[in-house]
Amino acid sequence: MAADMDPRLIGLLRASLEFVDALRDIGVTGEIGVLLDRDGGARLTELVEVRGATNARIAGLAFEWPKAVPQRALVANDNAALAVGDESPALR
């Protein structure tokens, strides 16, 4: 239902269409992309359901953002408890 739409999404759609129209008016052709940072991508996914994707196509624009850093990559390598002397487990 139109009454259930988030007003921020409506604003995003209008602004996107106006932006694309302005670019087309000055002669821009082809695909138009907007690069966001991870936080910007996360905010956009709050308005547009893209479920874990790293891009969204809205009103003629391709919004893209980098992939989230996997949580496993952020976990510290805790092999200190397994070390023998000055050697780490990887050196054995």
Side-chain angles (χ1 to χ4, degrees):
M1 250 180 145
D4 295 337
M5 288 192 80
D6 188 329
R8 298 174 301 169
L9 179 57
I10 294 169
L12 175 64
L13 291 170
R14 283 185 179 151
S16 298
L17 286 168
E18 289 173 4
F19 182 55
V20 169
D21 286 345
L23 289 172
R24 299 291 186 219
D25 287 346
I26 64 169
V28 174
T29 60
E31 190 169 318
I32 301 169
V34 177
L35 181 60
L36 302 171
D37 61 10
R38 281 188 204 117
D39 291 337
R43 297 286 295 159
L44 184 60
T45 61
E46 292 174 9
L47 297 178
V48 181
E49 192 171 318
V50 290
R51 293 190 180 164
T54 58
N55 62 51
R57 296 190 180 281
I58 301 169
L61 292 173
F63 291 88
E64 298 179 355
W65 54 92
K67 289 182 179 181
V69 178
Q71 292 298 322
R72 289 175 54 193
L74 299 176
V75 176
N77 183 0
D78 192 11
N79 286 330
L82 302 174
V84 177
D86 292 333
E87 291 184 354
S88 70
L91 294 175
R92 286 189 254 151

